[in-house]
Amino acid sequence: MERGYQTNPNYPVAPPPTTAGNHVNFGAQASVGQGNNFPPPPSSNLLGNVLRGVPILLTFLAAVLMGSAKDSKALVKSTDSSALVYFTVINSLVCVYSVGSLIVTIAGGSPLETLISIADLIVLTFLFTCNGAASAISVILNSERYEGISTCALLHRYCSQIKAAIVFSMFASIAYLLLIIMILLRNRGL
């Protein structure tokens, strides 16, 4: 039997360090994604799960805020603009995807890890496009004038809901961006 360095099959332990000249060799320093069976450290799983969980709440809030944005005085609703409808639909879909991907990653879906990483990139792209579309509408509302008064000054609640929804969705985008960076760094062994 070889030396029993492995105490738990889920978390292998490296062999003790050896010295060779002036350098200390700490055994095999391979990392995840380089042909070994070492699982990622539990802390990166926790961080990854948190970064997957945060967009659930943020995209849900963004979709609800945008979907309910209206001003009863001027009869303006978010459904009047196709860009704002696109924003609502994308944030709703991302919320559902985030729940599904969180369940799969918690359940340990390692065969699906590559597909989920690709889907994360697609989700990030859609979030950025819908944020850009909604931001353009927000800028237009702020710059439009009616009798010398900004449209958003007249439709304060409506514009505030749109801006809050964009902020929540942007934070969800940042969470996905950090998640993708973390996955890339983990796969590179950094």
Side-chain angles (χ1 to χ4, degrees):
M1 180 175 157
E2 291 188 6
R3 300 174 85 180
Y5 295 121
Q6 198 168 3
T7 57
N8 181 344
N10 293 327
Y11 298 100
V13 178
T18 58
T19 57
N22 293 334
H23 302 293
V24 177
N25 181 5
F26 288 98
Q29 297 203 2
S31 60
V32 175
Q34 294 183 351
N36 60 27
N37 293 326
F38 290 177
S43 61
S44 70
N45 287 343
L46 177 65
L47 181 60
N49 290 341
V50 167
L51 288 174
R52 285 194 185 282
V54 166
I56 294 171
L57 176 65
L58 294 175
T59 55
F60 177 77
L61 288 173
V64 168
L65 276 171
M66 187 64 78
S68 65
K70 64 181 175 183
D71 189 281
S72 57
K73 295 177 195 170
L75 300 173
V76 177
K77 298 182 284 187
S78 62
T79 56
D80 295 339
S81 167
S82 60
L84 300 182
V85 171
Y86 175 68
F87 179 92
T88 306
V89 169
I90 292 298
N91 275 281
S92 301
L93 291 174
V94 170
C95 183
V96 171
Y97 166 77
S98 298
V99 170
S101 67
L102 181 62
I103 291 170
V104 168
T105 53
I106 288 175
S110 58
L112 300 175
E113 188 173 322
T114 303
L115 289 175
I116 289 175
S117 297
I118 293 169
D120 289 342
L121 285 170
I122 294 168
V123 163
L124 181 64
T125 304
F126 277 120
L127 279 174
F128 280 148
T129 60
C130 77
N131 289 334
S135 296
I137 297 299
S138 179
V139 167
I140 290 170
L141 287 174
N142 278 326
S143 63
E144 281 185 352
R145 301 270 178 210
Y146 179 75
E147 294 182 8
I149 301 172
S150 166
T151 305
C152 277
L154 297 171
L155 306 172
H156 180 69
R157 182 172 182 259
Y158 177 72
C159 289
S160 296
Q161 281 184 279
I162 290 174
K163 290 175 187 174
I166 292 168
V167 168
F168 284 136
S169 186
M170 284 303 288
F171 280 123
S173 300
I174 291 168
Y176 264 106
L177 182 62
L178 292 174
L179 177 67
I180 290 168
I181 290 170
M182 185 192 77
I183 290 171
L184 288 173
L185 290 175
R186 186 181 70 205
N187 287 344
R188 293 235 181 223
L190 300 174

